[in-house]
Amino acid sequence: MKKSIVIIVIMLILNLNLAVYGQSNDLLKEDINAQSAILINGETGEILFEKNMHKKMYPASTTKMLTGILALEQGDLDKIVTVDDKTPFEIDGTHIALEPGEELRFKELLNAMLIESANDAALVLAKDMAGSVEDFSKLMNEKAKEIGAINSNFVNPNGLPDEDHISTAYDLAMIAKYGMKNKQFRNIVKNYQYSIEATNMKNERRNMQSVNKLLYSNQKINLDGNYIDIKYDGAIGVKTGYTKDAGNCLVSAAKRDGKMLISVVLKSQGTNLWIDTHKLLNHGFNDFDKKILGFKNEFVKNIDINNGDKDFVTGVISEDVSVSLKSDMKNDISKKIKINDNIRAPIEKGEVLGSIEYINDEKIIESVNIVSAEEISLIAGYEKTLSASLFNDFNIWWIVIILFLFLILRINILRKRRKKRKRKKRKI
């Protein structure tokens, strides 16, 4: 009897754990309802799962992440912005009922765009920064390429339907990863409520609510037979999106135990949007372990040099390096050190001397630069000796070539002289 009770208690604990944290099984592409999806390590960019990650899709309002990044990097948050006469009448979809001539702070419009997903606020911000939607779109595409988006084209700041306005799950993940490095961006997208006080055109406060239910909702979804809240433990953003053509879209970020994950779900249906996202994030948190491979300034080796004020230069790892490995993956990781050829002084501190490749199951899973831990100068007087010597690596080949050409020229001259002598003897 006691044994049966113990077994029942253990089963209850296991079921509770599964309900809270999700099952820890390998995730398959067919497990995800969305047409396109990706899961990455939010710090390193490692791809942990993907389904059609490079398929060109309509991003809808997830576009506003990029607009928000540009606003934070190029805008003045405390600036008073005046709404133009056209914007309030050019907008479809979600808006905050801006009025022509209305004055708001730049940061109020930014929060309204990222939290309420206000299309009119996005348009006003774009015009304020670039003068026109067309010119702002150029800034968007330049920034997207800089960030690492490789298959995107943006033609407006809010993601309203346009057949030329496209992105991919991979590109949106890279944009979110970049944005989450910005403290101000993180502080905005983690919120699901925001208010704008009365303005010169509005007598009442505007209260806003995000539709990103991962941040707050107690509505239930059925995840593998367990009914759980949509709210996700550790969720810290990022942006929802919806149009008829784009379907339900969601870019999410969550952080637990120092590990941040970013997921993207494009063109999902109904509550599958939240189910897909839970599955992806659970997969990342439950099925992967963080493996520290090396630390910034960790000693690698002393590398011999023959023209410096020291006999060697100390090589160290350029930055912290880690990798996410599946929990059931063998943990035997080897490393291959590659040192550049012809390392010579002078050497600056931080100069790249080579690299380390980390290998698991015969595959390179990560790499990092080896850099100089110190500055190395030339041996005193070596510069003069080097410039005076004809027999350095550069000049020796020129000397050989010149001597060879001179020899050929001399031989030809001698041949011509012999021929002349022979002709003179014949005439005599």
Side-chain angles (χ1 to χ4, degrees):
M1 181 69 179
K2 289 182 178 180
K3 187 176 180 180
S4 299
I5 293 173
V6 170
I7 292 172
I8 292 171
V9 170
I10 291 173
M11 291 300 295
L12 287 172
I13 291 172
L14 288 173
N15 285 331
L16 178 62
N17 185 62
L18 291 176
V20 174
Y21 295 108
Q23 294 186 33
S24 179
N25 296 315
D26 197 26
L27 188 65
L28 304 176
K29 292 184 180 182
E30 51 265 33
D31 294 329
I32 298 298
N33 172 267
Q35 288 191 16
S36 177
I38 193 172
L39 175 71
I40 67 168
N41 182 313
E43 295 169 349
T44 67
E46 295 169 80
I47 299 170
L48 308 181
F49 175 90
E50 67 88 11
K51 176 183 177 181
N52 301 324
M53 67 177 179
H54 292 305
K55 183 178 180 180
K56 293 180 179 180
M57 309 284 287
Y58 296 122
S61 284
T62 61
T63 298
K64 291 169 181 145
M65 294 189 300
L66 184 56
T67 303
I69 287 168
L70 286 168
L72 287 167
E73 293 184 348
Q74 300 186 19
D76 179 356
L77 295 182
D78 294 321
K79 177 183 179 180
I80 300 297
V81 179
T82 302
V83 179
D84 62 281
D85 293 336
K86 293 183 179 180
T87 294
F89 307 104
E90 295 176 332
I91 288 299
D92 294 321
T94 305
H95 61 85
I96 55 170
L98 293 175
E99 300 281 353
E102 187 172 7
E103 297 176 351
L104 301 94
R105 290 193 181 278
F106 190 96
K107 64 182 177 183
E108 292 175 325
L109 292 166
L110 176 59
N111 277 271
M113 177 188 70
L114 289 175
I115 297 174
E116 178 72 11
S117 199
N119 292 321
D120 49 359
L123 199 55
V124 171
L125 288 171
K127 290 180 179 179
D128 180 74
M129 284 187 280
S132 69
V133 170
E134 291 75 17
D135 287 340
F136 186 75
S137 296
K138 293 177 182 177
L139 295 179
M140 294 178 76
N141 289 315
E142 289 172 3
K143 190 66 183 181
K145 288 180 181 178
E146 176 191 325
I147 288 171
I150 55 178
N151 288 303
S152 293
N153 183 62
F154 299 100
V155 300
N156 63 56
N158 45 36
L160 285 175
D162 188 299
E163 63 180 8
D164 294 324
H165 190 95
I166 50 139
S167 190
T168 67
Y170 175 86
D171 288 1
L172 291 171
M174 294 302 108
I175 292 169
K177 173 177 172 286
Y178 181 90
M180 293 301 286
K181 291 180 180 178
N182 186 308
K183 183 178 179 181
Q184 291 174 308
F185 185 91
R186 293 197 306 272
N187 286 339
I188 294 173
V189 298
K190 72 180 182 181
N191 294 323
Y192 57 90
Q193 291 180 326
Y194 186 75
S195 296
I196 296 177
E197 298 299 328
T199 68
N200 62 319
M201 302 294 289
K202 298 285 187 181
N203 296 325
E204 297 181 355
R205 172 192 293 176
R206 289 181 175 98
N207 294 316
M208 299 169 215
Q209 173 95 13
S210 169
V211 295
N212 187 358
K213 296 181 180 181
L214 286 187
L215 298 173
Y216 62 86
S217 178
N218 293 323
Q219 181 182 339
K220 304 295 183 182
I221 53 174
N222 184 343
L223 182 63
D224 299 322
N226 296 299
Y227 284 90
I228 62 171
D229 294 342
I230 291 178
K231 181 180 179 179
Y232 193 84
D233 179 27
I236 52 175
V238 177
K239 190 70 193 74
T240 59
Y242 173 81
T243 66
K244 182 178 179 181
D245 291 330
N248 289 307
C249 306
L250 179 61
V251 180
S252 305
K255 191 170 186 178
R256 289 182 189 168
D257 301 323
K259 179 166 67 173
M260 184 174 74
L261 301 175
I262 291 172
S263 68
V264 179
V265 172
L266 299 179
K267 204 161 190 179
S268 193
Q269 299 174 349
T271 58
N272 282 318
L273 177 72
W274 314 111
I275 294 171
D276 285 345
T277 300
H278 272 253
K279 286 181 178 180
L280 288 166
L281 294 174
N282 286 344
H283 180 52
F285 286 121
N286 296 341
D287 299 339
F288 290 87
D289 294 326
K290 184 177 180 180
K291 174 71 175 178
I292 304 297
L293 302 177
F295 298 93
K296 183 176 181 178
N297 295 325
E298 179 183 331
F299 173 78
V300 179
K301 67 179 300 184
N302 290 323
I303 303 165
D304 293 335
I305 51 175
N306 56 20
N307 67 334
D309 58 359
K310 288 182 63 176
D311 293 332
F312 60 84
V313 58
T314 300
V316 298
I317 293 177
S318 62
E319 59 186 328
D320 293 340
V321 55
S322 63
V323 67
S324 298
L325 294 177
K326 282 192 174 181
S327 303
D328 59 357
M329 184 180 289
K330 289 189 299 182
N331 221 9
D332 50 337
I333 298 174
S334 61
K335 60 183 179 181
K336 184 176 182 180
I337 296 174
K338 294 184 175 181
I339 302 299
N340 296 343
D341 295 330
N342 300 320
I343 295 176
R344 294 176 172 273
I347 299 171
E348 297 181 3
K349 184 177 181 179
E351 184 174 328
V352 176
L353 305 174
S355 64
I356 302 177
E357 293 178 347
Y358 297 92
I359 301 166
N360 181 270
D361 196 22
E362 299 183 354
K363 294 180 181 178
I364 298 172
I365 56 174
E366 192 57 85
S367 63
V368 66
N369 284 333
I370 300 170
V371 299
S372 172
E374 57 198 327
E375 183 178 319
I376 304 292
S377 301
L378 283 170
I379 297 173
Y382 186 86
E383 290 169 315
K384 293 181 180 179
T385 304
L386 188 63
S387 61
S389 174
L390 290 174
F391 294 97
N392 57 59
D393 290 343
F394 177 75
N395 287 330
I396 189 68
W397 289 107
W398 282 109
I399 293 169
V400 171
I401 292 169
I402 291 169
L403 287 173
F404 180 72
L405 292 174
F406 178 79
L407 181 61
I408 292 174
L409 181 62
R410 184 63 181 167
I411 291 170
N412 286 334
I413 291 171
L414 291 172
R415 283 178 178 173
K416 288 180 180 179
R417 285 179 179 176
R418 287 195 199 99
K419 287 180 181 180
K420 283 184 179 180
R421 290 194 195 103
K422 288 179 180 180
R423 283 197 294 267
K424 285 181 180 180
K425 287 180 180 179
R426 288 173 185 169
K427 288 179 180 180
I428 293 171

